[in-house]
């Protein structure tokens, strides 16, 4: 039975040939970038710099040196949250829709007495608006953090107006764009975003293990990891300027350059990719929305994420049933976002999340719809 993969919000299943080729080419010419004066070392360094320039341009022509490579989005978020808390005291505002990669560092910082934390909930019951943020700002708020798109429901937050409000009030703004890359275009300068984080393995179709922090601010976090940078090697203290100040240790040229090719691929096919995802998402949503046996949590289905529950069933049980009986890969449980589930009252049962790729088909969706229908009709015990 052919695998039907509907878990692209966790990691993309399809990897373009150009991404694979870039990864393999750098393995063949493997060397330590920035750690030698020989040709291979210089060549690898140039590939990394080329990728910085690509990312800097993609997110609104920020400075390439302000593109910081990490191993994933979680590390990039920690770099901002922990790094800013080293130099600033006061209040941080984030939404209830944040991933644990935001909630856990902030909760730890609050526990240590380094910040106070305010968590905001949407008045419209769907997504965070600028008014939700305004109502929760305190005199000592120095940072607002929201995600562009919820990894649980796919709903899109009003990050553009939030960014403008933060800029007007001299508050730093961090956008977790893990779920947005490949689906929405973000301009850090126009949208007044000071810090943006993402990982490559979702919307940019790279292997796992590469993430990024993009900075559009004179206010820099302090480093949280220290070590060799290939620069100022006679200095026992960490360099002060990016990117070296935030990039200790050997970089993965292969993963970084695969990100270059992934972004190239997305840029070239952006309209076609997202039209396909939108069409598939609408088809699935339209075939689920009137089913009285389902509770649907997604409103902005165009981002390729649709989350629901089958009444009377635990989400993990449903996902295991689909995997075992139909070879359909979906995601159940709490999706590393506990406050989102608390908000929707699904802490005990989680949600079934279907996340689509442009490589999926209506035929695959029909198999999923048939499986859901059979499960409801036969009231199977799972």
């Amino acid at each position: 039975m052919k695998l039907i993969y509907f878990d692209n919000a966790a990691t993309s299943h399809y990897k373009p040939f150009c991404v694979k080729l870039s990864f393999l080419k750098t393995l063949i010419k493997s060397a330590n970038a920035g750690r030698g004066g020989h040709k291979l070392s210089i060549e690898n360094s140039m590939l990394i710099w080329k990728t910085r320039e690509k990312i800097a341009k993609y997110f609104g022509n920020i400075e390439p040196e302000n593109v910081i490579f990490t191993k994933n989005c979680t590390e990039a978020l920690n770099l901002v949250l922990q790094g800013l808390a080293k130099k600033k005291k006061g209040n941080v505002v984030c939404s209830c829709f944040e991933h644990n990669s935001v909630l856990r560092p902030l909760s730890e910082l609050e526990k240590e007495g380094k910040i106070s934390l305010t968590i905001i909930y949407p008045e419209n019951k769907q997504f965070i608006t600028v008014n939700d943020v305004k109502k929760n700002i305190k005199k000592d708020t120095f940072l607002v953090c929201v995600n562009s798109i919820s990894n649980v429901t796919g709903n899109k937050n009003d990050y553009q107006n939030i960014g403008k409000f933060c800029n007007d009030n001299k508050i730093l703004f961090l956008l977790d764009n893990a779920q947005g890359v490949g689906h929405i275009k973000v301009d850090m300068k126009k949208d007044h975003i000071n810090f943006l984080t993402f990982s490559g393995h979702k919307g940019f179709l790279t292997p796992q293990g590469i993430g990024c922090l993009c900075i559009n601010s004179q206010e820099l976090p302090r480093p949280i990891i220290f070590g060799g940078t290939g620069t100022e090697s006679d200095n026992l203290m960490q360099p002060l300027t990016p990117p070296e100040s935030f990039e200790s240790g050997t970089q993965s040229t292969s993963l970084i350059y695969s990100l270059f090719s992934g972004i190239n691929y997305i840029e070239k096919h952006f309209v076609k990719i997202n039209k396909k995802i939108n069409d598939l998402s609408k088809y699935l949503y339209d075939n689920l929305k009137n089913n009285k046996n389902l509770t649907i949590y997604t409103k902005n289905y165009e981002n390729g994420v649709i989350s629901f529950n089958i009444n009377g069933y635990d989400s993990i049980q449903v996902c295991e049933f689909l995997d075992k009986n139909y070879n359909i890969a979906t995601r159940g449980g709490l999706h590393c976002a506990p406050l989102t589930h608390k908000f929707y009252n699904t802490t005990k049962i989680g949600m079934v999340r279907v996340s689509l790729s442009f490589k999926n088909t209506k035929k695959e969706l029909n198999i999923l719809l048939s499986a859901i229908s059979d499960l409801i009709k036969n009231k199977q015990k799972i």
Side-chain angles (χ1 to χ4, degrees), residues 58-266:
Y58 187 88
F59 288 110
N61 291 307
I62 64 171
E63 297 300 322
E65 58 266 29
N66 284 339
V67 173
I68 313 302
F69 293 115
T70 60
K71 68 176 181 288
N72 48 41
C73 191
T74 297
E75 184 180 314
L77 287 163
N78 271 267
L79 201 163
V80 179
L81 298 173
Q82 295 195 53
L84 286 177
K86 279 188 166 190
K87 60 187 295 187
K88 299 181 79 70
K89 301 292 183 183
N91 175 252
V92 176
V93 172
C94 79
S95 85
C96 66
F97 296 141
E98 301 313 303
H99 192 276
N100 270 338
S101 53
V102 168
L103 295 174
R104 284 180 174 174
L106 288 178
S107 296
E108 188 68 24
L109 289 168
E110 183 183 42
K111 181 182 176 182
E112 293 171 357
K114 295 179 180 178
I115 64 164
S116 65
L117 177 59
T118 301
I119 296 172
I120 56 178
Y121 295 82
E123 192 173 286
N124 62 26
K125 308 298 182 183
Q126 297 174 25
F127 60 91
I128 301 298
T129 68
V130 65
N131 287 329
D132 295 324
V133 173
K134 285 179 181 179
K135 292 175 183 177
N136 287 278
I137 295 296
K138 294 179 169 50
K139 289 183 179 180
D140 62 343
T141 299
F142 67 88
L143 177 68
V144 170
C145 176
V146 300
N147 53 43
S148 55
I149 296 173
S150 166
N151 73 300
V152 181
T153 64
N155 292 334
K156 182 180 174 184
N157 291 314
D158 185 20
Y159 67 87
Q160 291 165 311
N161 285 320
I162 293 171
K164 184 179 185 306
F165 168 78
C166 288
N167 182 68
D168 290 345
N169 289 274
K170 296 181 172 54
I171 298 169
L172 295 170
F173 180 42
L174 165 60
L175 185 73
D176 176 1
N177 199 34
Q179 216 62 58
V181 289
H183 301 294
I184 58 173
K185 291 185 176 180
V186 176
D187 187 312
M188 292 183 69
K189 290 184 177 179
K190 289 182 180 178
D191 298 335
H192 305 290
I193 298 165
N194 300 112
F195 307 101
L196 180 147
T197 63
F198 68 89
S199 54
H201 66 96
K202 298 186 182 188
F204 284 149
L205 312 177
T206 73
Q208 293 136 321
I210 183 66
C212 193
L213 163 64
C214 299
I215 300 174
N216 174 40
S217 174
Q218 297 299 314
E219 181 89 61
L220 298 177
R222 289 193 178 149
I224 61 173
I225 299 175
F226 303 86
T229 60
T231 59
E232 300 183 33
S233 294
D234 60 336
N235 187 355
L236 294 181
M237 302 304 292
Q238 191 78 358
L240 297 176
T241 56
E244 291 84 6
S245 54
F246 302 116
E247 291 182 353
S248 294
T250 299
Q251 296 281 38
S252 173
T253 309
S254 297
L255 289 170
I256 290 171
Y257 198 54
S258 73
L259 181 56
F260 176 90
S261 294
I263 295 174
N264 259 349
Y265 185 89
I266 291 298

Side-chain angles (χ1 to χ4, degrees), residues 1-5 326-329 359 361 363-364 367:
M1 191 184 298
K2 181 184 175 183
L3 171 68
I4 298 176
Y5 189 85
Y326 294 90
N327 208 24
I328 297 175
K359 288 294 182 179
T361 65
K363 182 179 178 180
E364 291 176 328
I367 294 172

